Amino acid sequence: MASGNAIRGSRVGAGPMGEAERGESAPRLRISFWCSNGHETQPSFASDAQIPDTWDCPRCGFPAGQDENNPPDPPRTEPYKTHLAYVRERRSDADGEAILAEALAKLRGEI
């Protein structure tokens, strides 16, 4: 027995296929970008769009430029620093000794 569903196999908003219903697509340009790993990507841009200087490589994530022989350098990543490393950058050993002596004096009740 049929279920009586007249629009079976269709989705909401579906209409006739063809360029006449959707309009004409804008003229496109494919521009090549190369990253420092030698990967090439060719994103598509509208012909009247402003082309960016760099584009992120979809394979490695590095920035890619339009010059194959001179791609942009990969970003420099800083190593992880602990809280103690940041404190040592700001204070000298003598400052640390003075702060430690003051804190110990407070704990002993001398101050």
Side-chain angles (χ1 to χ4, degrees):
M1 182 171 156
S3 67
N5 191 351
I7 58 171
R8 185 177 206 166
S10 180
R11 66 180 191 274
V12 175
M17 298 295 286
E19 286 293 321
E21 290 296 320
R22 290 187 299 243
E24 294 294 321
S25 61
R28 298 277 176 186
L29 295 174
R30 289 185 93 40
I31 306 293
S32 292
F33 289 89
W34 288 271
C35 71
S36 59
N37 287 335
H39 303 140
E40 179 185 10
T41 183
Q42 292 184 330
S44 176
F45 297 97
S47 62
D48 58 347
Q50 183 178 359
I51 308 299
D53 294 332
T54 61
W55 191 262
D56 289 339
C57 177
R59 291 181 63 189
C60 64
F62 287 170
Q66 295 181 34
D67 185 5
E68 182 178 9
N69 298 323
N70 190 18
D73 293 329
R76 190 164 179 254
T77 56
E78 294 292 326
Y80 175 77
K81 289 185 187 178
T82 63
H83 175 70
L84 183 58
Y86 284 111
V87 170
R88 285 185 175 161
E89 285 180 359
R90 292 192 313 264
R91 303 198 190 275
S92 67
D93 287 340
D95 291 340
E97 291 292 331
I99 292 170
L100 178 62
E102 182 183 336
L104 289 174
K106 269 187 189 176
L107 286 174
R108 292 180 184 139
E110 298 172 4
I111 295 180

